[in-house]
Amino acid sequence: GCFRYIPAGQTEAMLNTINEQLNHLLNDSGKIYLSHTVLNGKYTLRMVTGQTNVTFEHVEKAWKLIKETARRIKE
């Protein structure tokens, strides 16, 4: 699925920077790997969850890591 982190009060350019930073922080952690795309000029994160060996527990753990990492980004 595709998603974006959208903290309040940010311009579209700032949101693109924040989401790119989030993508790099998550991938550099070595715990998960996300890809990205640009949809209508918006930097968008992509997480594959439809693989055979992906369980609901994997998705829950990844989502927790994503939220924790996003909260640490200095806007």
Side-chain angles (χ1 to χ4, degrees), residues 7-59:
Q10 305 296 321
T11 66
E12 193 58 49
M14 292 166 77
L15 289 173
N16 284 342
T17 299
I18 288 168
N19 278 278
E20 184 174 5
Q21 182 181 8
L22 177 57
N23 190 34
H24 290 296
L25 288 170
L26 289 165
N27 289 346
D28 290 350
S29 76
K31 295 178 182 176
I32 64 173
Y33 179 79
L34 301 178
S35 60
H36 74 279
T37 190
V38 177
L39 299 173
N40 298 320
K42 298 177 180 183
Y43 190 99
T44 305
L45 302 174
R46 296 168 58 177
M47 183 169 77
V48 175
T49 58
Q51 300 231 356
T52 304
N53 296 324
V54 175
T55 67
F56 186 71
E57 182 181 346
H58 292 126
V59 176

